[in-house]
Amino acid sequence: MTTKRRPSTKRDLLTVKQVENAKPQEKDVILNDGGGLNLRITPAGARIWRFRYTLSGKAYTYTIGEGGLREVRDRVAAMRKLLDQNIEPMAHEQAERDKAEQERQEVERQRQEAERARLAKIEAERIERESRRMFGDTVNQWHELALSKRKDKGKETMRIFTKDVLPRLAHKELGSVTKADLLAIFDRVTARGAHVLANHIFGDLRQFFNWCDARELVSKHPLRGITKKDVGGAQPERERVLSADELRTLKAKMPDAHFERQTELAIWLMLSTLARVGELTQAKWEHIDFNAGTWTIPAGNAKNAREHVVFLSDFAMRHFEDLRSVNGWQDVWCFPSERTNEHLCLRSFSKQIKDRQRDTALSNRTMRGLGVLKLPGGDWTPHDLRRTGATMMGELGISSDVIERCLNHVEASKLKRTYQRHELKAERVQAWARLGERIDELLNGTERKVLPFKRVA
């Protein structure tokens, strides 16, 4: 059914001038243009065109809004053509809008699909490119960006990698390194009896691949599912303590060990201060206060990253003074390296001591003093001297909490760490003094009057 409307006459039509000159009144002003089109002028001055029509017996009002007379007539003419085709203009416009929106959405969907495809291609190319990264080059990058932040700048790990890992994997593509490749390395290390070293290599390689995984340099972690029991096995906690007789024997054997004097002094300093070998090796003369009788271990040198003050006994003071006369007063380091301007290698004392407990010398290592430092209780290490000194303190009646402070151990209980801030300074001074006296007595036969240990309030 078509729209029925009154044919327009010339007198019904508005002129542009009439529209432009029409002014707002106190009430709405309605200007008819014929054929259902009129202009409403509100008291506020709004000029709103409306088109009224009927279709299938139903009346409609289309609000056109503002616009010029000719522009509005063109729009109404287009709507009348739709009405002649029995098409409702507002529904038609909504359908056109819906169609346009669907087309827009389809274009957006295609754009997103194209973008996803582009990104997938880039990712595939990246994975392919990264898979061609050489293992050795990536290790060097890891060393530069992460490993170098360790206390030793990653030197020890790189030394081990250079010996046991890189010769077999350096020129292999990172993405092609398999679990079998890595287990083969661990097996070679354990085959020569170095189970602890195998576990150290495992730990460092796991950190390396964690670093690679976080940066999506590898598609899968080749060590996932591997534990220490699959590598070097569980590491038993060392309990080696040198007995009094062994300490006397050790001193007696020193001349045949052909140590440099600084190494002998280092052994007795580790025993009398309870210091770790790395802390002693990195000591500077500026850390030693001969007037106050203290050695301050900076946080950067301490294993737990906490500054630690050692109150030196007479025994320890004599050995530091002897060390200074041996190594000179102008050097920065207590144990300077002859090859660099730095301190000795952190493993130097450990290697020297271990070499003198071997039956045969390693290649390019000293043959002097082979087996000389073997003791009845079995192999011993520099760290066993620290444990021995702490044990001697306990035998002297010094309480465990004082010994723990002397060892610079972190209190396991968070509650105690938070509320028990007492540093036990006086007790630690006594503890180290008593230990020094006991060592003097064992090694030099110096009988001293030993006072009972008293806890200072």
Side-chain angles (χ1 to χ4, degrees):
M1 180 177 180
T2 58
T3 303
K4 296 180 180 179
R5 58 181 184 275
R6 178 173 56 84
S8 300
T9 62
K10 188 172 183 179
R11 65 181 178 80
D12 292 326
L13 299 180
L14 295 172
T15 65
V16 172
K17 188 173 182 181
Q18 283 177 310
V19 171
E20 291 177 349
N21 291 338
K23 304 298 181 183
Q25 304 296 328
E26 292 183 359
K27 295 182 180 181
D28 286 351
V29 176
I30 305 297
L31 301 179
N32 290 304
D33 192 48
L37 177 63
N38 64 60
L39 173 65
R40 174 190 171 208
I41 303 174
T42 69
R47 308 169 76 86
I48 304 170
W49 288 97
R50 296 176 299 181
F51 176 46
R52 292 194 174 103
Y53 57 89
T54 60
L55 181 65
S56 301
K58 185 177 180 180
Y60 295 88
T61 299
Y62 187 105
T63 301
I64 299 173
E66 296 186 353
L69 179 61
R70 293 188 179 90
E71 174 191 354
V72 170
R73 283 175 175 170
D74 288 342
R75 289 190 61 184
V76 169
M79 285 188 279
R80 284 174 176 153
K81 288 182 180 181
L82 292 172
L83 290 168
D84 289 342
Q85 301 173 52
N86 206 32
I87 299 173
E88 201 280 301
M90 287 188 288
H92 175 74
E93 287 190 5
Q94 182 61 49
E96 289 295 310
R97 285 194 295 270
D98 292 344
K99 180 180 178 181
E101 176 62 19
Q102 290 175 358
E103 291 175 349
R104 186 196 67 77
Q105 291 179 2
E106 178 61 18
V107 170
E108 177 63 16
R109 185 188 65 78
Q110 293 178 5
R111 185 196 68 79
Q112 290 180 1
E113 283 188 359
E115 179 65 10
R116 282 194 293 269
R118 184 185 71 83
L119 293 176
K121 181 180 179 181
I122 292 174
E123 177 66 8
E125 291 173 349
R126 184 193 67 78
I127 292 174
E128 174 64 20
R129 184 174 60 255
E130 294 296 354
S131 70
R132 295 194 297 271
R133 289 170 62 101
M134 294 298 105
F135 179 89
D137 294 337
T138 312
V139 167
N140 290 333
Q141 185 181 10
W142 175 57
H143 177 214
E144 179 183 352
L145 299 179
L147 196 60
S148 60
K149 295 177 183 179
R150 293 185 181 179
K151 289 181 182 178
D152 70 341
K153 309 301 182 184
K155 293 179 182 177
E156 181 60 14
T157 294
M158 290 304 294
R159 183 192 70 79
I160 294 172
F161 271 39
T162 300
K163 178 182 178 183
D164 290 306
V165 180
L166 294 177
R168 295 168 179 84
L169 298 180
H171 301 296
K172 191 176 179 68
E173 290 182 357
L174 178 66
S176 67
V177 174
T178 65
K179 185 179 298 185
D181 293 328
L182 301 175
L183 288 173
I185 289 175
F186 303 143
D187 290 343
R188 290 188 185 95
V189 175
T190 56
R192 64 177 191 254
H195 294 268
V196 174
L197 176 60
N199 284 338
H200 286 322
I201 295 175
F202 167 70
D204 284 330
L205 278 172
R206 184 168 56 186
Q207 289 188 32
F208 166 70
F209 280 108
N210 286 344
W211 182 85
C212 292
D213 193 26
R215 286 156 182 78
E216 297 185 340
L217 302 182
V218 291
S219 58
K220 62 180 180 179
H221 197 310
L223 285 176
R224 187 163 289 125
I226 300 295
T227 63
K228 284 186 177 180
K229 70 178 182 180
D230 303 309
V231 182
Q235 294 176 215
E237 190 172 315
R238 283 188 64 85
E239 297 179 354
R240 180 75 166 95
V241 173
L242 280 65
S243 67
D245 287 340
E246 286 182 314
L247 291 175
R248 295 189 189 97
T249 301
L250 179 60
K251 182 185 178 184
K253 289 184 173 185
M254 282 292 189
D256 296 329
H258 299 288
F259 277 135
E260 292 184 8
R261 178 59 178 160
Q262 68 172 5
T263 303
E264 291 186 33
L265 294 170
I267 288 173
W268 304 123
L269 282 169
M270 284 185 281
L271 177 66
S272 61
T273 62
L274 312 188
R276 297 177 177 89
V277 62
E279 294 169 344
L280 185 64
T281 306
Q282 298 177 83
K284 295 181 178 180
W285 288 117
E286 66 185 52
H287 302 154
I288 313 298
D289 189 331
F290 286 97
N291 293 324
T294 59
W295 167 27
T296 301
I297 300 174
N301 292 356
K303 181 178 180 180
N304 60 9
R306 293 199 324 175
E307 183 179 278
H308 181 51
V309 178
V310 177
F311 297 99
L312 301 172
S313 62
D314 291 343
F315 179 88
M317 281 284 288
R318 292 201 312 271
H319 284 72
F320 267 122
E321 289 167 352
D322 193 356
L323 179 66
R324 186 131 201 190
S325 66
V326 169
N327 286 341
W329 290 76
Q330 300 303 316
D331 211 298
V332 172
W333 304 98
C334 296
F335 296 94
S337 170
E338 294 180 356
R339 300 179 182 179
T340 67
N341 293 325
E342 294 290 315
H343 53 74
L344 278 179
C345 169
L346 296 179
R347 294 173 56 85
S348 177
F349 295 137
S350 298
K351 289 179 179 179
Q352 293 180 58
I353 291 171
K354 189 169 185 177
D355 282 347
R356 285 155 178 80
Q357 298 177 72
R358 298 180 188 277
D359 294 322
T360 57
L362 299 179
S363 60
N364 300 321
R365 297 275 274 273
T366 183
M367 295 183 63
R368 304 181 73 188
L370 281 176
V372 168
L373 295 187
K374 284 187 173 182
L375 297 173
D379 290 347
W380 59 280
T381 68
H383 198 77
D384 295 332
L385 296 171
R386 169 177 160 89
R387 187 182 301 105
T388 298
T391 301
M392 292 172 69
M393 278 188 176
E395 292 170 347
L396 291 168
I398 298 168
S399 66
S400 61
D401 55 341
V402 174
I403 297 173
E404 289 295 297
R405 292 296 179 91
C406 291
L407 289 166
N408 195 24
H409 281 166
V410 175
E411 170 58 54
S413 169
K414 182 178 180 181
L415 185 64
K416 289 184 178 180
R417 289 200 306 270
T418 302
Y419 293 104
Q420 296 183 13
R421 299 290 187 175
H422 185 33
E423 293 298 322
L424 303 175
K425 175 180 176 180
E427 289 89 338
R428 287 187 290 139
V429 171
Q430 291 184 51
W432 270 303
R434 291 283 301 281
L435 175 62
E437 290 176 353
R438 176 58 178 154
I439 297 172
D440 238 345
E441 180 184 351
L442 287 174
L443 302 184
N444 304 315
T446 306
E447 294 291 341
R448 295 176 179 269
K449 182 179 180 181
V450 180
L451 298 175
F453 186 82
K454 295 182 179 180
R455 189 179 184 89
V456 178

